[in-house]
Amino acid sequence: MTTDDGSPPRIVVRLDGVRKEYGEARALDGMSVEIRAGDAVAVMGPSGCGKSTLLNLVAGLDRPTSGTVEVNGQDLGELNETGLALFRRQHIGMIFQFFNLIDDLPALDNVALAAQLTGTPARQARLRALELLDELGVADRRNSYPATLSGGERQRVSVARALMNRPALLLADEPTGALDSRSGEQVMDLLIDLNQIGQTLLIVTHDPHLATRCASRLVEMADGRAVRTSALEPTV
Ligand SMILES: Nc1ncnc2c1ncn2[C@@H]1O[C@H](COP(=O)(O)OP(=O)(O)O)[C@@H](O)[C@H]1O
Ligand SMILES: [Mg+2]
């Protein structure tokens, strides 16, 4: 993919020689990867190879032991905790296997909160939240609490929440892992649609079907590093 002037799209994520140790355990051991604007990258690999650690570092939820993590041109190592939290809210959207919605807030408030935390006035945040719930086909569930929503509906609400601040990067950790196959397919369709309108995606998954349906590039990991990168053919 190239931009209008023929130059390659800007780099949204760059990891260079990243190591992450938890005591004796080495979760990442020289992980390097580059993701450009508009890419849809799937990361696969055996359990324990460092996939979730990778996402947590890119999200700025954790810091590497050594090596650099850059997101949207910002070296995350230069930010203090407050700066990191703000950066995450402004530039990164995340969706999780188990949704991570707030149980005692209705769907609309779960979504609106993401923008209110970055300083958007409540009224404006609620308008945009409603717009997104509508686009994702769950506006009729706006006043429902997460416990009363189906898995598929919960994941749509989480996607709306993730998109609230128009993130440069959408991270997904096993986004269909807790869904029945029909809802899983619908979430995959949603991710594909988002990527087609330019959303950069980084998806961690065990599921080869999710990877081949949603991603244009596959990064295979083993023992804390990338061992192979390949282009994926779009499936119909
Ligand atoms: N907070 C932690 N404390 C100690 N060890 C951890 C922690 N997080 C991950 N690990 C270890 O790091 C390795 C990679 O974990 P993880 O990134 O969760 O792998 P994956 O998501 O690919 O299954 C595993 O051996 C795991 O046990
Ligand atoms: Mg994991």
Side-chain angles (χ1 to χ4, degrees):
M1 198 169 91
T2 55
T3 50
D4 291 343
D5 66 1
S7 59
R10 72 196 161 77
I11 293 171
V12 177
V13 176
R14 191 204 313 261
L15 262 75
D16 194 18
V18 169
R19 291 165 55 147
K20 176 66 185 177
E21 286 160 13
Y22 295 102
E24 297 283 283
R26 191 167 289 172
L28 291 178
D29 187 15
M31 179 69 194
S32 299
V33 70
E34 259 182 25
I35 298 174
R36 290 179 182 273
D39 273 354
V41 173
V43 174
M44 295 190 72
S47 185
C49 74
K51 303 182 296 297
S52 294
T53 303
L54 167 72
L55 275 200
N56 289 340
L57 294 182
V58 172
L61 290 166
D62 208 345
R63 294 177 185 273
T65 306
S66 63
T68 53
V69 179
E70 262 178 49
V71 178
N72 236 6
Q74 170 70 55
D75 179 347
L76 300 189
E78 290 173 354
L79 299 175
N80 64 17
E81 293 310 309
T82 315
L84 208 51
L86 187 62
F87 185 86
R88 179 167 61 242
R89 286 176 186 156
Q90 288 175 332
H91 299 275
I92 292 169
M94 293 187 81
I95 56 178
F96 305 89
Q97 179 172 5
F98 297 107
F99 326 119
N100 294 16
L101 294 168
I102 299 173
D103 290 334
D104 47 11
L105 289 181
L108 184 75
D109 300 64
N110 259 285
V111 178
L113 185 62
Q116 289 173 254
L117 289 172
T118 63
T120 307
R123 192 182 136 71
Q124 200 180 318
R126 292 172 70 81
L127 279 173
R128 170 150 173 82
L130 187 55
E131 216 174 86
L132 278 168
L133 289 175
D134 189 37
E135 280 168 28
L136 296 171
V138 282
D140 58 327
R141 308 298 267 134
R142 63 184 171 278
N143 295 321
S144 303
Y145 288 85
T148 68
L149 302 175
S150 71
E153 288 170 338
R154 282 184 226 188
Q155 200 57 301
R156 282 162 185 273
V157 173
S158 334
V159 172
R161 176 184 59 183
L163 296 176
M164 262 312 263
N165 297 322
R166 301 180 172 83
L169 177 66
L170 183 61
L171 301 177
D173 199 349
E174 299 286 0
T176 60
L179 302 178
D180 62 75
S181 63
R182 201 176 99 88
S183 310
E185 292 296 332
Q186 289 172 347
V187 167
M188 289 184 214
D189 287 340
L190 210 61
L191 292 173
I192 294 166
D193 289 348
L194 288 169
N195 181 242
Q196 276 172 353
I197 58 171
Q199 179 68 58
T200 309
L201 301 178
L202 173 55
I203 306 168
V204 161
T205 184
H206 273 98
D207 179 4
H209 177 62
L210 170 61
T212 49
R213 272 207 68 199
C214 298
S216 48
R217 198 150 61 89
L218 174 66
V219 174
E220 288 171 78
M221 286 181 70
D223 300 328
R225 63 171 78 103
V227 289
R228 201 158 80 105
T229 297
S230 47
L232 293 169
E233 296 304 323
T235 54
V236 188

